[in-house]
Amino acid sequence: MNKKLQEYAAANGLVCEKEYCYGVFNGYQVSVYQKPLSTMWVIGINANFGAKLDSVISYLNFHKKDLKIANAVVGGGGLRILILDSFGTLKKADAVLRSVTAYLAQQEIDGSGCPYCGEPMQESALVTDNFAKFRAHEQCFNQKLEAAVSAEAFEKEMPNRYGNGIVGALIGALVGCAIFAVLFAIGYLASISSMIGALLASFLYSKFGGKNNRVKIVIVSLATLLLILATFFICNIVYIGILMEENGVGGSAFEMLLVLCREEAEFRNALLGDLGLTLFFTVLGIVVVIISMVRQQRKVSSGMKKF
């Protein structure tokens, strides 16, 4: 158990259990969760915002920078506000809790009702949902859990269109390649375009009917890596070919590339440096995509529990 989290809970009348600190704070059900082996903390503010949800989101977006919020999403019976683990994390969490709950009170949003339906709670159950711990109507929780399980079962039974997914991944990766080639042609090494290619390959794989599973990770990674590397070398070969033509030098541009790499140390070092940057951003893009895909593969129902 995090000792500082335990001390914070005691100072604010909250309960601290393992990774969770939860209870009522300024009239609203809140929780602070430290994800194991992660640099992310999740602050849950659990209430039914009703028609005022848009104004709450606008408030968070406006104060995102000064409250040092990494991200904020709606779901699981309220808000989930993510902050990065760093020096003074609990001070950041406290600032977020005080600021947001004060705004909710100003908007006259009731914090005593069920976070799912907003109705008063005569009886309630302690539950976890989407990295937050709070009290809600047992029936509301059960209905949401049943809906999540049904949606997951439906998704599992849906056909996996691998062929369509591969086409989508190739199109996405090729868009990244096209950006790379265009910028290369005007004198820039746009290695970040490989990251764009990876993100688009992942997005279009799913849009074209491919399921988010391990096969998707392999296909997206390979499509992005191989096509970007091919584009890198094609661009350099074409560039050498243009220079050869301008200087009246005959022969194969590919063979000239090999000769330059073998005999010209300055050219070889520059090419390897550019290749290293391209590989770095390609791998970085693939890693970001893999993390996103793995998170999406996590079943909603697996994060829901009733105590």
Side-chain angles (χ1 to χ4, degrees), residues 3 15 41 62 137 169 185 190 195 198 210 215 253 256 301:
K3 187 176 179 181
V15 178
W41 287 57
F62 184 78
H137 287 144
M195 184 184 292
V215 175
M256 181 60 75
S301 60

Side-chain angles (χ1 to χ4, degrees), residues 25-291:
F25 185 98
N26 288 348
Y28 294 91
Q29 291 198 75
V30 304
S31 64
V32 179
Y33 172 71
Q34 183 183 21
K35 298 178 73 172
L37 304 176
S38 172
T39 59
M40 196 70 69
W41 287 57
V42 182
I43 300 171
I45 300 179
N46 306 288
N48 187 288
F49 304 115
K52 296 182 179 179
L53 176 61
D54 287 343
S55 66
V56 174
I57 296 298
S58 297
Y59 176 83
L60 288 173
N61 288 333
F62 184 78
H63 292 281
K64 189 173 183 179
K65 187 174 181 179
D66 53 280
L67 290 176
K68 297 177 175 61
I69 295 172
N71 195 15
V73 295
V74 179
L79 290 170
R80 301 295 176 268
I81 301 170
L82 280 63
I83 59 174
L84 293 174
D85 188 12
S86 60
F87 183 76
T89 301
L90 280 175
K91 287 185 179 179
K92 295 178 189 175
D94 184 69
V96 169
L97 287 171
R98 293 186 186 281
S99 176
V100 177
T101 54
Y103 178 76
L104 297 181
Q106 180 187 339
Q107 295 295 307
E108 298 182 346
I109 295 172
D110 184 15
S112 64
C114 171
Y116 293 119
C117 69
E119 296 298 319
M121 292 189 291
Q122 301 288 339
E123 296 180 354
S124 64
L126 183 62
V127 302
T128 55
D129 187 354
N130 195 22
F131 303 112
K133 201 167 191 176
F134 55 93
R135 290 197 166 274
H137 287 144
E138 186 172 1
Q139 183 179 0
C140 290
F141 175 82
N142 290 340
Q143 288 174 349
K144 187 186 175 189
L145 180 58
E146 288 171 9
V149 171
S150 296
E152 289 161 3
F154 178 77
E155 171 69 19
K156 187 176 180 180
E157 295 301 320
M158 289 287 289
N160 194 346
R161 298 182 175 87
Y162 286 115
N164 292 356
I166 291 171
V167 171
L170 290 173
I171 292 173
L174 284 171
V175 171
C177 293
I179 296 172
F180 184 99
V182 169
L183 293 176
F184 185 94
I186 59 176
Y188 294 96
L189 179 68
S191 301
I192 199 169
S193 61
S194 54
M195 184 184 292
I196 296 171
L199 294 170
L200 282 173
S202 173
F203 175 75
L204 291 179
Y205 181 93
S206 296
K207 278 294 181 183
F208 277 55
K211 282 188 176 181
N212 185 9
N213 52 24
R214 292 176 182 176
V215 175
K216 176 184 177 181
I217 292 175
V218 173
I219 291 173
V220 168
S221 300
L222 287 176
T224 304
L225 182 61
L226 295 178
L227 287 176
I228 286 291
L229 287 179
T231 303
F232 174 84
F233 284 108
I234 289 170
C235 285
N236 278 280
I237 291 169
V238 170
Y239 177 65
I240 289 172
I242 292 171
L243 291 179
M244 289 173 66
E245 185 177 346
E246 289 176 350
N247 290 277
V249 178
S252 165
F254 175 70
E255 290 179 358
M256 181 60 75
L257 174 68
L258 296 179
V259 170
L260 290 171
C261 286
R262 186 170 60 249
E263 298 180 1
E264 297 291 334
E266 186 177 347
F267 175 84
R268 181 173 62 248
N269 292 337
L271 184 70
L272 289 175
D274 291 348
L275 177 60
L277 277 175
T278 301
L279 281 172
F280 172 77
F281 281 104
T282 303
V283 172
L284 180 62
I286 290 171
V287 168
V288 169
V289 167
I290 289 174
I291 292 172

